[in-house]
C-alpha cells in the first residue's frame, strides 16, 4: 500500500474531500437560512352561469370541448392512422392526410377542433388502444346552445377563450363568468341569467316569421313583442339567424342583431308619433281638417320648392282620417303648424336619437337631424313627419310605442327578468322602470283610438283580429340606393306597429320586412303577419278573447312503468315519468339533474336527443 498511495496523492484526495464536504455544508446553510417560498395555488376555475328563458328553459349551458392534434413527424404510418380516426372525426381520410402532409415540418397541428364529449371519449379510447403517443387533446371551455337558432342574436355567443363575443353572452360577461381575483382559490361560480323572453312563444313566432320570409322572399325580417306595462321583451327575432352551435360558419347577415344595431327610415308608421307631437303641443286639434289633393307643394321664400306626393286624393281629412288613410299631404300640412325645433324636441323626448339602454352591445342611436345640420332643408320637417329623413331602430320604435300604450309614459325596455346565484338564490329581480312622461294621457289615448281605426277601416285592416281590439299603423318606405344615391325604385322596407288590447294595452308588437320581392305594400304583406303573431301571443298568454282556442282533455293521463331510468349518450325523453323514478339520477356525478315540482314530468331541458356532455345540467319540470 505504501508503494501505491503516495503522500502527494493522499494529500490531494483529502483536500478534495474537505472541499466537497465544505460545499455540502455551505449549501445546507443557505437552504436553512433562506426564507421558504410557499407553493402558489392553482388559479381558480370558473363555472360559467347559464342563460335561460323567463321560465327557466335552458338556452345556453357550459360544457367542455376538445381540440385534437398531432405531431406530424412522429406518425410512422399516416395511412393507417387516418384510416382509423377519420370515421370518428367525421372527416375524409384524404383531407386528414393532406393536413398532416402540409404540416410535416411543424411540431404540432390541429386536425379538428371542438370535439364534443362523446366524440372525445370514442377517439381517446381508439388512440389509447392503438398507442398513438403522437396525439394530443386540449380541453377548452365550451357552450352548448340547445335551441340552436332560437333568439340567437339576443343570446349571443361565447368564444374559445371563455369570453362572450355577442349578445347577452357579451354584455353580461362579468355576471356569467366573474373575474378572477389573485387570491381566489377553488372554483368560482357564475350567475344564471333569466331572460324576459318566453322560449315557447319565441319558437311559435319564429315559425311565423320564417314563413313570412319565405312567402315574401325578403332579405331580412325583425319582430319584437314587449309587455307594454313592464317593458319586458317577450320575443325578439332577427332573420336570417345563426345556429349558435355552428357560429363560426355563420354569415355576417346571420350574426347581425338588426333590431339593436340597424337604423332605417320607418316611413308612415312614424306618423303616429308625428301626430302625437302636433296634438300634444297644441299645434293642431283632433277636429282640425286638412285638404289632400294628392300633392303637397310649397315654394319657399328662398326659392326652394317642396313636393311630396300622396297615394290618394283624400279630400278633407282630420288627424284620425289622415292616419287611417296614411295621408302624406295632410301630415305635411300639420308640420307647418309647429316650429322645427319644437318638433325635433318632441321627437327626441320620445326616445329617438338616443339608445334605449337595453342589455345588448352595439345599440345604435339612430339619427335625428338638427336645424343647423348641413343637410337640413325646407323640406326636412314635412319629410320627417311622414317618416323620412330620420333614422330609427326597431327597439326605439317599440319603446316609443309603450308611451302611447301607457298613457304617455314610456317603459324602459329590458331583456333581463332576474339573475340568480349558482345555487338558485335571487340576486336581482326586474322591477319595471319608466321614463319621464312625454305625452299627455289624453293625447296617448287619442292616438291609440286612431290606431284602432286604422285596423278597422284603414290601411291596416288586414291586421284586425275581430274578437279582440287592436290598434295598428302600417308603413312602406323606399330604401336608400347605396350605389347611385337617392332612393331605390326596387328596395322597400315594410313595417307595422300594433298595440293590443285597446281597452287596457298589454302588448306592443312590431314587425319589419326588408327588401321583399314582388308585393311590398305593408298593408298587404306585414299586416297579416301582425294578425297571425298577435293571435299566437294572445293564445299563448291566455289573454281574454271571444272565440279563444281551447283544449279538451279526457282527464286521464298515461303513467310510465317503474323501469329504471338510464341516461346514455343522448338525453332521453322523461315526459310522464314519476318523481320516484328520477331520484336515483341525483347520484350521478358527471351530470347535474335539477328537479322542479312534484308529480310527473311535464317538460324538460334540454330536449330529448340532445348529446350528453360532461357537467351538463338537465332540468325536469314536474306537475
Amino acid at each position: 500500500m505504501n508503494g501505491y498511495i503516495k503522500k502527494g496523492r493522499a494529500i490531494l484526495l483529502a483536500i478534495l474531500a474537505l472541499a466537497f464536504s465544505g460545499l455540502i455544508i455551505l449549501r445546507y446553510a443557505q437552504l436553512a437560512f433562506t426564507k421558504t417560498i410557499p407553493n402558489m395555488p392553482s388559479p381558480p376555475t370558473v363555472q360559467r352561469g347559464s342563460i335561460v328563458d323567463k321560465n327557466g328553459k335552458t338556452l345556453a349551458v357550459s360544457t367542455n370541448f376538445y381540440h385534437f392534434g398531432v405531431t406530424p413527424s412522429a406518425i410512422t404510418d399516416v395511412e393507417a392512422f387516418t384510416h382509423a380516426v377519420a370515421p370518428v372525426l367525421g372527416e375524409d381520410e384524404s383531407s386528414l392526410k393532406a393536413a398532416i402532409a402540409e404540416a410535416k415540418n411543424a411540431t404540432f397541428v390541429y386536425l379538428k377542433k371542438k370535439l364534443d364529449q362523446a366524440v372525445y371519449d370514442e377517439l381517446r379510447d381508439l388512440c389509447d388502444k392503438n398507442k398513438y403517443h403522437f396525439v394530443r387533446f386540449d380541453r377548452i371551455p365550451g357552450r352548448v346552445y340547445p335551441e340552436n337558432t332560437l333568439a340567437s342574436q339576443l343570446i349571443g355567443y361565447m368564444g374559445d377563450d371563455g369570453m362572450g363575443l355577442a349578445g347577452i353572452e357579451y354584455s353580461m360577461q362579468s355576471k356569467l363568468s366573474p373575474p378572477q381575483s389573485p387570491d381566489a382559490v377553488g372554483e368560482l361560480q357564475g350567475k344564471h341569467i333569466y331572460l324576459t323572453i318566453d322560449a315557447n312563444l319565441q319558437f311559435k313566432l319564429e315559425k311565423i316569421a320564417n314563413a313570412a320570409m319565405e312567402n315574401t322572399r325578403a332579405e331580412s325580417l325583425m319582430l319584437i313583442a314587449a309587455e307594454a306595462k313592464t317593458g319586458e321583451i317577450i320575443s325578439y327575432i332577427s332573420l336570417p339567424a345563426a345556429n349558435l352551435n355552428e357560429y363560426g360558419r355563420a354569415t355576417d347577415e346571420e350574426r347581425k342583431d338588426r333590431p339593436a344595431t340597424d337604423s332605417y327610415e320607418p316611413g308612415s308608421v312614424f306618423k303616429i308619433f308625428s301626430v302625437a307631437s302636433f296634438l300634444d303641443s297644441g299645434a293642431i286639434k283632433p277636429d282640425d281638417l286638412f285638404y289632400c289633393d294628392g300633392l303637397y307643394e310649397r315654394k319657399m321664400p328662398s326659392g326652394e320648392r317642396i313636393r311630396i306626393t300622396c297615394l290618394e286624393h283624400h279630400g278633407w281629412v282630420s288627424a284620425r282620417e289622415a292616419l287611417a288613410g296614411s295621408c302624406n299631404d295632410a301630415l305635411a300640412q300639420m308640420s307647418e303648424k309647429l316650429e322645427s325645433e319644437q318638433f325635433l324636441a318632441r321627437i327626441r323626448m320620445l326616445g329617438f336619437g338616443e339608445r334605449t339602454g337595453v342589455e345588448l352591445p352595439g345599440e345604435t342611436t339612430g339619427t335625428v337631424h338638427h336645424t343647423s345640420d348641413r343637410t337640413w332643408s325646407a323640406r326636412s320637417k314635412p319629410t320627417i313627419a311622414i317618416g323620412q329623413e330620420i333614422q330609427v331602430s326597431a327597439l326605439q320604435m317599440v319603446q316609443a310605442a309603450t308611451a302611447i300604450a301607457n298613457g304617455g309614459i314610456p317603459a324602459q325596455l329590458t331583456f333581463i327578468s332576474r339573475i340568480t346565484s349558482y345555487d338558485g338564490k335571487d340576486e336581482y329581480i326586474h322591477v319595471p322602470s319608466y321614463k319621464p312622461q312625454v305625452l299627455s294621457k289624453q293625447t296617448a289615448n287619442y292616438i291609440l283610438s286612431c290606431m284602432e281605426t286604422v285596423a278597422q277601416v284603414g290601411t291596416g285592416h288586414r291586421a284586425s283580429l275581430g274578437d279582440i281590439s287592436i290598434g295598428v299603423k302600417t308603413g312602406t318606405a323606399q330604401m336608400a340606393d347605396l350605389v347611385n344615391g337617392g332612393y331605390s325604385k326596387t328596395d322597400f322596407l315594410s313595417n307595422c306597429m300594433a298595440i293590443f288590447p285597446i281597452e287596457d294595452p298589454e302588448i306592443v308588437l312590431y314587425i319589419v320586412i326588408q327588401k321583399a320581392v314582388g308585393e311590398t305594400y305593408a298593408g298587404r304583406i306585414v299586416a297579416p303577419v301582425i294578425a297571425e303573431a298577435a293571435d299566437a301571443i294572445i293564445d299563448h298568454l291566455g289573454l281574454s278573447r271571444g272565440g279563444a282556442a281551447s283544449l279538451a282533455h279526457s282527464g286521464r293521463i298515461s303513467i310510465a312503468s317503474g323501469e329504471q331510468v338510464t341516461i346514455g349518450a343522448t338525453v332521453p325523453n322523461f315526459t310522464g315519468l314519476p318523481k320516484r323514478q328520477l331520484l336515483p339520477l341525483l347520484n350521478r356525478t358527471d351530470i347535474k339533474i335539477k328537479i322542479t315540482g312534484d308529480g310527473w314530468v311535464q317538460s324538460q331541458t334540454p330536449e330529448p336527443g340532445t348529446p350528453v356532455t360532461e357537467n351538463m345540467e338537465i332540468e325536469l319540470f314536474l306537475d
Side-chain angles (χ1 to χ4, degrees):
M1 284 184 62
N2 291 337
Y4 177 75
I5 303 178
K6 297 184 181 296
K7 185 177 181 180
R9 289 180 178 177
I11 293 172
L12 177 61
L13 183 61
I15 292 172
L16 291 175
L18 287 172
F20 181 70
S21 300
L23 182 63
I24 292 176
I25 294 170
L26 178 63
R27 182 58 181 158
Y28 178 80
Q30 285 178 335
L31 293 174
F33 292 102
T34 300
K35 186 178 180 180
T36 303
I37 300 175
N39 292 328
M40 294 298 292
S42 300
T45 58
V46 179
Q47 183 66 32
R48 191 178 182 88
S50 298
I51 299 175
V52 301
D53 82 340
K54 67 189 303 180
N55 300 312
K57 185 180 181 66
T58 303
L59 302 176
V61 63
S62 292
T63 187
N64 288 317
F65 290 114
Y66 300 85
H67 291 346
F68 175 62
V70 297
T71 302
S73 61
I75 304 176
T76 56
D77 190 342
V78 174
E79 185 80 26
F81 170 68
T82 55
H83 179 74
V85 302
V88 182
L89 293 175
E91 299 287 341
D92 294 331
E93 290 183 40
S94 57
S95 64
L96 295 178
K97 291 176 189 174
I100 294 171
E102 290 176 7
K104 62 182 179 180
N105 296 323
T107 57
F108 182 79
V109 63
Y110 282 121
L111 295 184
K112 192 161 186 178
K113 294 184 175 183
K114 297 195 72 172
L115 304 178
D116 62 30
Q117 189 69 38
V119 175
Y120 163 76
D121 290 339
E122 184 178 356
L123 190 60
R124 186 81 199 215
D125 289 343
L126 175 67
C127 292
D128 290 345
K129 180 180 179 182
N130 289 281
K131 294 182 170 51
Y132 292 149
H133 302 302
F134 48 80
V135 302
R136 191 175 89 195
F137 295 91
D138 293 338
R139 189 170 83 167
I140 60 170
R143 210 69 159 151
V144 170
Y145 300 94
E147 303 302 325
N148 297 316
T149 60
L150 191 84
S152 63
Q153 290 91 346
L154 170 59
I155 297 168
Y157 181 75
M158 188 194 79
D160 291 347
D161 59 356
M163 299 296 292
L165 300 179
I168 294 297
E169 291 274 35
Y170 175 85
S171 63
M172 304 300 290
Q173 170 70 23
S174 62
K175 296 291 185 183
L176 290 164
S177 184
Q180 303 178 28
S181 61
D183 56 348
V185 294
E187 185 176 67
L188 297 178
Q189 306 287 358
K191 314 298 182 187
H192 295 314
I193 307 297
Y194 283 72
L195 302 179
T196 55
I197 67 166
D198 183 319
N200 292 328
L201 177 61
Q202 178 82 11
F203 175 80
K204 294 175 183 177
L205 296 183
E206 283 193 11
K207 185 176 180 181
I208 292 171
N210 277 296
M213 278 274 286
E214 184 177 349
N215 294 337
T216 60
R217 293 177 288 169
E219 184 177 283
S220 64
L221 181 148
M222 297 179 272
L223 188 148
I224 301 175
E227 293 181 352
K229 294 181 175 66
T230 67
E232 293 191 358
I233 295 174
I234 58 176
S235 184
Y236 187 78
I237 298 172
S238 179
L239 299 178
N243 183 338
L244 293 177
N245 292 308
E246 299 177 355
Y247 196 76
R249 302 177 186 176
T251 65
D252 290 341
E253 292 300 306
E254 291 172 333
R255 296 176 184 178
K256 187 182 292 186
D257 180 10
R258 288 178 175 80
T261 64
D262 278 11
S263 60
Y264 55 89
E265 294 184 351
S268 293
V269 173
F270 196 76
K271 290 173 181 173
I272 57 176
F273 305 118
S274 297
V275 172
S277 299
F278 301 146
L279 283 167
D280 212 55
S281 64
I284 67 170
K285 296 181 176 59
D287 54 359
D288 286 349
L289 297 178
F290 304 87
Y291 186 75
C292 168
D293 59 4
L295 177 66
Y296 175 82
E297 189 171 19
R298 295 289 187 274
K299 184 175 181 180
M300 309 305 292
S302 62
E304 184 178 358
R305 185 177 295 275
I306 306 170
R307 287 176 58 89
I308 297 176
T309 59
C310 193
L311 294 177
E312 303 286 344
H313 290 66
H314 295 103
W316 290 101
V317 294
S318 64
R320 180 186 300 275
E321 293 163 333
L323 289 174
S326 203
C327 179
N328 289 342
D329 192 349
L331 263 292
Q333 292 179 55
M334 293 180 202
S335 72
E336 296 176 355
K337 307 291 186 179
L338 186 61
E339 291 293 330
S340 297
E341 291 290 357
Q342 294 183 45
F343 181 41
L344 294 175
R346 291 269 175 182
I347 289 173
R348 292 191 181 94
M349 285 171 58
L350 285 161
F352 297 105
E354 64 179 28
R355 298 177 180 87
T356 64
V358 294
E359 304 87 353
L360 284 176
E363 188 183 2
T364 181
T365 61
T367 304
V368 177
H369 290 300
H370 295 271
T371 55
S372 58
D373 290 347
R374 182 180 56 82
T375 55
W376 185 267
S377 68
R379 66 171 289 123
S380 293
K381 183 172 59 171
T383 304
I384 292 173
I386 62 173
Q388 295 179 346
E389 281 197 41
I390 184 171
Q391 296 279 327
V392 305
S393 72
L395 285 169
Q396 288 174 339
M397 292 288 283
V398 170
Q399 184 157 275
T402 65
I404 294 174
N406 293 329
I409 302 174
Q412 172 63 55
L413 298 182
T414 184
F415 289 106
I416 307 299
S417 173
R418 62 190 177 110
I419 300 174
T420 70
S421 62
Y422 208 76
D423 56 2
K425 295 179 181 178
D426 286 330
E427 296 194 356
Y428 165 83
I429 297 177
H430 172 248
V431 176
S433 62
Y434 303 92
K435 300 194 173 185
Q437 185 158 359
V438 295
L439 299 172
S440 69
K441 186 173 182 180
Q442 182 179 5
T443 297
N445 290 342
Y446 176 76
I447 296 298
L448 197 56
S449 71
C450 290
M451 292 176 69
E452 184 177 23
T453 301
V454 176
Q456 292 172 339
V457 297
T459 59
H461 67 275
R462 289 179 176 83
S464 180
L465 300 175
D467 57 357
I468 192 169
S469 59
I470 186 171
V472 302
K473 182 67 189 83
T474 61
T476 307
Q478 286 178 282
M479 298 184 69
D481 187 335
L482 301 179
V483 177
N484 304 311
Y487 288 99
S488 171
K489 295 181 180 179
T490 57
D491 296 336
F492 293 87
L493 181 144
S494 309
N495 58 145
C496 183
M497 179 69 72
I499 301 174
F500 59 90
I502 293 296
E503 299 79 15
D504 184 20
E506 294 191 42
I507 301 296
V508 173
L509 178 62
Y510 182 54
I511 184 173
V512 181
I513 293 180
Q514 297 188 60
K515 296 185 179 181
V517 177
E519 179 62 69
T520 58
Y521 183 59
R524 297 192 181 100
I525 68 170
V526 293
V529 182
I530 282 286
E532 188 176 3
D535 265 328
I537 293 170
I538 291 165
D539 287 341
H540 184 84
L541 299 181
L543 302 182
S544 177
R545 62 184 297 176
S550 60
L551 177 66
H553 194 279
S554 65
R556 301 176 64 188
I557 60 174
S558 176
I559 301 177
S561 63
E563 299 176 359
Q564 183 177 358
V565 181
T566 59
I567 300 177
T570 60
V571 176
N573 186 353
F574 293 98
T575 304
L577 293 178
K579 188 172 184 177
R580 64 178 179 274
Q581 281 186 248
L582 304 173
L583 296 180
L585 296 177
L586 298 177
N587 296 323
R588 294 281 293 261
T589 58
D590 56 332
I591 57 176
K592 300 176 182 177
I593 304 294
K594 183 177 180 182
I595 300 175
T596 303
D598 291 292
W600 293 268
V601 178
Q602 301 298 312
S603 61
Q604 67 182 76
T605 58
E607 62 186 16
T610 301
V612 174
T613 59
E614 186 179 357
N615 294 324
M616 170 185 276
E617 180 176 285
I618 300 175
E619 189 166 6
L620 307 176
F621 300 92
L622 282 61
D623 193 11

